[in-house]
Amino acid sequence: MSSEGEGGFHMVDVSLITSSSRRAMLRTQDDVRIEAVYDPPRASVTDTAVVVAHGFTGSADRPAVRRAARAFAERGAAVVTFSFRGHGRSGGFSTVGDREVLDLSAAVRWARELGHARVATVGFSMGGSVVLRHAALDRDTEGRADAVAAVSAPARWYYRGTAPMRRLHWVVTRPTGRLVGRYGFRTRIDRRAWDPVPLSPVEAVPLIAPTPLLIVHGDRDPYFPLDHPRMLAGAGDAELWLERGMGHAENAADAGLLARIGEWLTRVPGPGAPEPPRG
């Protein structure tokens, strides 16, 4: 799983209008087709588009992802959701956070093609690691993010300190596990090991400033304990929300939290400004 060549892309738009949404197939810089959905803003409150990066085994059409998209749209933003490679109707194979940076870059650039001057990214779990690395690697390109939120993200690679992560490593690294991923979770996983090992999330954080960064994590996350968000927030200039009673990723994010994240993404406070309202 190589990280080289992260950056550019070209797009083939075969858009389909259904209701107010637009579906498209994007093509990444390494020539993978990525399904994406654009939901225009419900009101002209902001020029921001929010790009949502789902967790491992998710997709653009999963109920938790659609629920997050609706919550962000209610804050007045346009929303782009997409399926990472190896997920949903996208092509290719999942590299579990490595080349997915190219998928996110294609989605961000599509949002700018659609006329949005400001594009914020929010990622959950694996998607959280991707938005952090993307913000560090694409900060000087048209694929850059103007604000970044990482929810339930790992700080470091190869973590096996919890039972769910040990099961995930089995799915990713073993032939039988990859069959379970393909037929049980509808996720096609690349059998090749990372070469080279990509920049880790905690190594990416110091490179993100001055882009505003929010780290969100639940105190009941069964995958990554609280040392992960604290390590991420301590590595750079980031705002940290530790959410009481929250579990893991998009499935555990309730309506109130999604509303607060949407508010932060669309109206990031400047230095010295008060935090967005909670509750």
Side-chain angles (χ1 to χ4, degrees):
M1 301 178 187
S2 171
S3 297
E4 68 180 86
E6 292 174 339
F9 87 114
H10 63 281
M11 180 181 76
V12 177
D13 187 346
V14 289
S15 300
L16 170 65
I17 304 296
T18 57
S19 180
S20 60
S21 297
R22 176 185 299 182
R23 287 187 177 267
M25 293 301 293
L26 313 180
R27 197 172 291 273
T28 67
Q29 185 266 345
D30 62 342
D31 205 32
V32 175
R33 289 166 61 85
I34 299 299
E35 70 164 339
V37 181
Y38 173 74
D39 292 298
R42 298 182 181 182
S44 299
V45 176
T46 174
D47 65 349
T48 297
V50 174
V51 179
V52 181
H54 63 75
F56 185 62
T57 75
S59 75
D61 290 328
R62 286 292 176 88
V65 175
R66 301 315 311 156
R67 181 166 56 88
R70 288 192 299 271
F72 301 145
E74 287 170 359
R75 312 316 295 175
V79 182
V80 172
T81 51
F82 67 97
S83 298
F84 280 120
R85 61 187 62 204
H87 294 73
R89 298 181 183 87
S90 292
F93 293 86
S94 174
T95 63
V96 199
D98 180 10
R99 298 193 72 81
E100 283 74 10
V101 169
L102 301 177
D103 309 344
L104 178 58
S105 182
V108 169
R109 290 168 184 254
W110 187 43
R112 295 198 188 278
E113 289 279 335
L114 292 168
H116 296 283
R118 184 176 181 277
V119 181
T121 59
V122 55
F124 298 89
S125 192
M126 181 188 76
S129 72
V130 173
V131 299
L132 294 173
R133 295 183 57 245
H134 168 265
L137 296 169
D138 268 14
R139 62 187 184 274
D140 297 323
T141 75
E142 282 301 305
R144 72 188 182 281
D146 296 298
V148 181
V151 184
S152 304
R156 53 195 185 273
W157 301 137
Y158 304 113
Y159 178 73
R160 293 178 172 85
T162 59
M165 284 305 297
R166 289 190 289 274
R167 290 193 293 269
L168 186 147
H169 277 275
W170 177 81
V171 168
V172 169
T173 62
R174 301 295 182 88
T176 303
R178 289 191 291 272
L179 284 174
V180 171
R182 187 181 189 104
Y183 296 107
F185 299 108
R186 299 181 182 179
T187 301
R188 304 176 306 279
I189 304 165
D190 199 321
R191 62 179 177 80
R192 295 169 294 177
W194 285 338
D195 183 20
V197 175
L199 183 77
S200 73
V202 73
E203 291 170 327
V205 167
L207 306 177
I208 294 173
T211 302
L213 173 60
L214 172 65
I215 305 296
V216 181
H217 211 92
D219 66 358
R220 294 187 180 178
D221 191 314
Y223 287 81
F224 305 114
L226 291 178
D227 62 310
H228 285 260
R230 288 171 175 149
M231 184 180 295
L232 291 171
D237 185 7
E239 186 172 343
L240 174 61
W241 297 357
L242 296 179
E243 298 296 314
R244 185 172 300 172
M246 179 188 170
H248 186 67
E250 58 263 52
N251 290 323
D254 63 23
L257 175 59
L258 291 172
R260 286 191 280 121
I261 293 172
E263 182 74 16
W264 189 93
L265 289 167
T266 54
R267 300 179 183 84
V268 179
E275 287 189 359
R278 301 198 173 200

